[in-house]
Amino acid sequence: MKSRCPLCNRLVPGDAQHWCRCGQVMDRRCFDAHGSWCSAGGRDAWIGALER
């Protein structure tokens, strides 16, 4: 099943999806960039909290 990445808004096919602890699904490049500001415990979690 395809879904849209919440960060870049591209369609991500099921085999390329990466699920984060915060519950968002995204493509690999966005997943790597998202880690430091994830609202579920990243180093800069306050940014992720504002994004939700």
Side-chain angles (χ1 to χ4, degrees):
M1 182 169 124
K2 291 184 180 179
S3 65
R4 290 208 174 269
C5 176
L7 303 177
C8 67
N9 205 31
R10 284 188 306 229
L11 281 175
V12 183
D15 61 340
Q17 293 177 355
H18 287 76
W19 287 87
C20 184
R21 298 181 298 196
C22 66
Q24 295 189 40
V25 61
M26 55 198 80
D27 82 347
R28 180 170 175 69
R29 289 181 294 163
C30 291
F31 178 77
D32 291 341
H34 168 79
S36 66
W37 56 268
C38 174
S39 63
R43 186 174 63 245
D44 295 319
W46 64 272
I47 297 171
L50 292 177
E51 290 292 320
R52 293 192 127 209

